């Protein structure tokens, strides 16, 4: 299993390109490691589904760089979602981590998600992924490319087949095909968004 950290330089690219790079990578927090199998790309001023579409705020400032940092936000008053910042410093963009496979620390993951009926369900969805890794507001802004960080992002083996389709649950730009995934039982269920659905985007 890879022990090479991804670098800021590798991640300082368009979120669509960063999405493909992140598929198959490993996110590690404490004794739990998750292989990323599903992501969504979000840009800034030209992406109305993005948190930073209307500019920088105290909530979204991490999205403006530098690349390789963790952007964590709270949604529905009960869940956290995690994103990897991409693009260059000062230009907003991020990749939402939608789902993963727990490859280390499965016992800890089950203790955090005891309702899971199988290992594939542990991190099947962005909120579940954060739960099994123990990510919350205190994780916001962490440098995933630093060996000293409590949460780190490691390179994975190149993936050969990448699927793409519309993003999940967004209220606008619903048909933009910036959700990417690889074959895995941990990939989340697609739910089309609409104006009546609250946004679940970075």
């Amino acid at each position: 299993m890879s022990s090479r950290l991804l670098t800021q330089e590798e991640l300082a690219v368009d979120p669509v390109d960063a999405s493909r790079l992140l598929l198959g990578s490993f996110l590690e927090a404490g004794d739990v490691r998750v292989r990323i199998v599903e992501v969504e790309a979000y840009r800034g001023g030209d992406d109305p589904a993005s948190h930073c579409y209307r500019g920088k705020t105290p909530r979204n400032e991490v999205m403006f760089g530098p690349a390789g940092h963790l952007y964590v936000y709270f949604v529905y008053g009960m869940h956290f979602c995690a994103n990897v910042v991409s693009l260059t410093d000062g230009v907003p963009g991020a990749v939402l981590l939608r789902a993963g496979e727990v490859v280390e620390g499965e016992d800890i993951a089950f203790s955090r998600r005891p309702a899971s009926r199988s290992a594939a369900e542990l991190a099947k969805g962005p909120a579940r992924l954060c739960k099994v890794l123990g990510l919350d507001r205190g994780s916001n802004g962490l440098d995933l490319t630093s060996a000293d960080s409590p949460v780190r992002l490691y390179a994975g083996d190149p993936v050969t087949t990448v699927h793409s389709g519309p993003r999940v649950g967004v209220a606008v730009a619903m048909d933009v095909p910036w959700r990417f995934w690889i074959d895995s039982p941990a990939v989340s269920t697609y739910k089309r968004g609409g104006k009546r659905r609250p946004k679940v985007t970075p």
Side-chain angles (χ1 to χ4, degrees):
M1 196 171 298
S2 175
S3 60
R4 183 182 74 82
L5 287 167
L6 286 172
T7 67
Q8 289 188 0
E9 290 75 18
E10 288 176 292
L11 294 164
V13 294
D14 188 280
V16 171
D17 297 321
S19 292
R20 295 178 178 276
L21 174 67
L22 288 169
L23 287 172
S25 68
F26 298 91
L27 191 63
E28 183 176 283
D31 293 326
V32 180
R33 179 181 277 215
V34 170
R35 180 175 181 253
I36 303 302
V37 299
E38 182 185 8
V39 297
E40 285 179 347
Y42 290 89
R43 288 198 186 124
D46 64 346
D47 184 358
S50 173
H51 278 186
C52 54
Y53 179 60
R54 292 181 174 84
K56 185 185 290 189
T57 67
R59 181 197 191 198
N60 67 24
E61 62 182 350
V62 175
M63 283 187 73
F64 286 77
H69 285 240
L70 193 64
Y71 169 47
V72 179
Y73 66 90
F74 199 51
V75 68
Y76 297 147
M78 59 190 302
H79 298 305
F80 291 100
C81 295
N83 308 259
V84 177
V85 176
S86 63
L87 286 173
T88 57
D89 198 5
V91 181
V95 178
L96 173 66
L97 304 179
R98 283 208 54 85
E101 301 167 345
V102 177
V103 295
E104 290 182 10
E106 189 174 287
D107 55 337
I108 299 173
F110 269 111
S111 73
R112 291 171 175 169
R113 292 258 312 120
S116 298
R117 293 172 294 180
S118 67
E121 289 190 357
L122 284 169
K124 189 174 187 174
R128 294 177 179 182
L129 186 148
C130 280
K131 187 72 172 179
V132 300
L133 288 167
L135 304 180
D136 56 22
R137 283 193 182 93
S139 310
N140 189 49
L142 290 176
D143 183 358
L144 302 175
T145 68
S146 170
D148 297 325
S149 175
V151 184
R152 297 165 302 281
L153 183 62
Y154 294 91
D157 294 329
V159 296
T160 55
T161 302
V162 176
H163 307 282
S164 65
R167 295 177 290 191
V168 176
V170 294
V172 291
M174 292 176 288
D175 296 318
V176 175
W178 285 354
R179 180 171 64 97
F180 302 93
W181 67 95
I182 55 180
D183 293 322
S184 168
V187 171
S188 65
T189 303
Y190 172 70
K191 295 180 181 179
R192 181 177 171 81
K195 291 185 178 180
R196 294 186 179 181
R197 292 179 57 86
K199 289 195 296 183
V200 189
T201 64

